[in-house]
Amino acid sequence: MNLDINALFADMLSAIKGTVSNNRDKVETIAKQFLAQNKETLQLIAGLRISGELSDEEFKSRLQDEKLVLEAQFNALEVVSKAIAQQAANAALDVLEKAVIAVIS
Amino acid sequence: MKTYTRTFSILLFSISLLTITACKVTFVPAYDAQITQQIDQTAKAVDKFYLFMLETTASDTIGRSFTKFSEQYINVEVEMNSLLNKNKIRPLNENSTRICEINLQLWQKYKEEHKRKNTLSDGVIKLNRKTFNDLFYAMQVAEEGKNIRAPNP
């Protein structure tokens, strides 16, 4: 039995596409949740500055803190993206593994 | 000669199989259910801490003085430190580690603010509570994200 390299690569690509498209909604949903959270927090910070509960210095400090929260959120999204990439790569390798085993056995 | 060829073929097949099956990529560490549970417990402790402060004390009395909450600040910081160390020790886990560092950094910052002012306004308590809710959520998303790694059947 010969290894059809073109068919194999097409199958591997299909496995990658399937994995990525299955998980695309997850990333989008999480990103939207993060944006909604940040909007609420920024509204809260602005409201506290207007009411005088935060001084100008505290207001600026809280905005800096919000940048850190944003950094944390990007880190979380990066984990999800890496996990999806890992799953896609392994799905492609599974296809390769099965094809090679079929040829050599 | 025939036996030799057969043995060689089996050996070659086994090596090929082992090489291929060992070929898996890893970009994130394995999901850890215990860490997820600890994140949830610490998040609840922080939420309860701020809700209790908001509902049972007032900013214009000594009820919100730092000493009344110092022990709870320590308890939460211990849990946050534990989470940071557990994440730091795992390979390929720099993203979750960074989230824990930010969480701890802001917790210590807000604790110092409370100590310096010896009180907190209702608005600041709500803001602190919201900030930590968001950070713990990011931490949960990062840990649960690692669960995606299992390939589809």
Side-chain angles (χ1 to χ4, degrees):
Chain A
M1 188 179 173
N2 290 327
L3 185 68
D4 184 346
I5 198 75
N6 290 324
L8 175 62
F9 272 91
D11 289 346
M12 287 171 74
L13 188 63
S14 172
I16 291 170
K17 277 183 182 172
T19 307
V20 173
S21 65
N22 280 349
N23 292 295
R24 194 169 42 203
D25 288 350
K26 278 183 192 153
V27 178
E28 198 179 326
T29 305
I30 294 164
K32 279 181 182 169
Q33 285 169 343
F34 284 159
L35 280 174
Q37 288 175 344
N38 297 344
K39 187 180 159 191
E40 283 174 20
T41 309
L42 289 172
Q43 279 175 333
L44 194 53
I45 292 171
L48 291 174
R49 178 68 194 105
I50 290 163
S51 70
E53 279 188 71
L54 289 179
S55 66
D56 196 41
E57 192 186 337
E58 288 168 335
F59 172 70
K60 285 174 184 165
S61 174
R62 290 291 174 156
L63 290 181
Q64 290 301 317
D65 295 347
E66 199 50 26
K67 282 185 191 172
L68 287 173
V69 173
L70 193 63
E71 186 189 335
Q73 292 167 332
F74 276 122
N75 271 283
L77 279 175
E78 203 176 322
V79 172
V80 176
S81 303
K82 280 181 188 175
I84 293 168
Q86 177 178 296
Q87 192 184 349
N90 286 332
L93 287 170
D94 281 346
V95 171
L96 175 68
E97 179 185 338
K98 281 173 189 157
V100 174
I101 287 171
V103 169
I104 62 179
S105 57
Chain B
M1 184 69 187
K2 198 175 175 183
T3 312
Y4 174 76
T5 308
R6 187 181 158 81
T7 309
F8 180 75
S9 300
I10 291 169
L11 190 67
L12 188 67
F13 174 74
S14 304
I15 291 169
S16 305
L17 199 65
L18 278 172
T19 308
I20 294 162
T21 51
C23 196
K24 294 276 181 193
V25 295
T26 309
F27 302 141
V28 290
Y31 169 72
D32 189 324
Q34 281 186 329
I35 286 188
T36 299
Q37 198 179 5
Q38 190 176 353
I39 294 168
D40 186 50
Q41 284 169 351
T42 313
K44 283 197 280 190
V46 171
D47 203 30
K48 190 176 176 183
F49 171 74
Y50 282 121
L51 277 174
F52 183 82
M53 198 188 289
L54 191 65
E55 297 298 331
T56 64
T57 63
S59 59
D60 55 351
T61 67
I62 58 162
R64 274 186 198 167
S65 61
F66 177 78
T67 50
K68 293 195 180 298
F69 298 95
S70 56
E71 192 180 337
Q72 290 168 76
Y73 271 116
I74 291 167
N75 291 340
V76 169
E77 195 166 329
V78 165
E79 287 301 316
M80 287 182 177
N81 262 321
S82 162
L83 275 171
L84 173 60
N85 289 331
K86 281 178 184 172
N87 275 299
K88 206 187 275 185
I89 208 163
R90 298 159 77 194
L92 302 169
N93 202 33
E94 62 278 3
N95 297 105
S96 288
T97 301
R98 181 65 190 136
I99 299 170
C100 289
E101 284 171 350
I102 291 168
N103 198 41
L104 184 60
Q105 181 186 336
L106 291 183
W107 180 258
Q108 289 168 337
K109 181 184 175 184
Y110 298 160
K111 181 186 76 177
E112 288 305 315
E113 276 178 13
H114 191 174
K115 194 189 278 185
R116 197 176 62 247
K117 290 183 171 180
N118 208 30
T119 191
L120 289 177
S121 70
D122 284 1
V124 169
I125 293 172
K126 286 174 190 168
L127 182 56
N128 289 355
R129 181 175 171 238
K130 175 81 174 68
T131 300
F132 288 109
N133 271 339
D134 293 352
L135 281 171
F136 279 114
Y137 184 71
M139 217 184 276
Q140 288 283 25
V141 164
E143 195 53 47
E144 293 289 343
K146 292 162 194 163
N147 229 355
I148 295 173
R149 69 198 290 275
N152 290 331

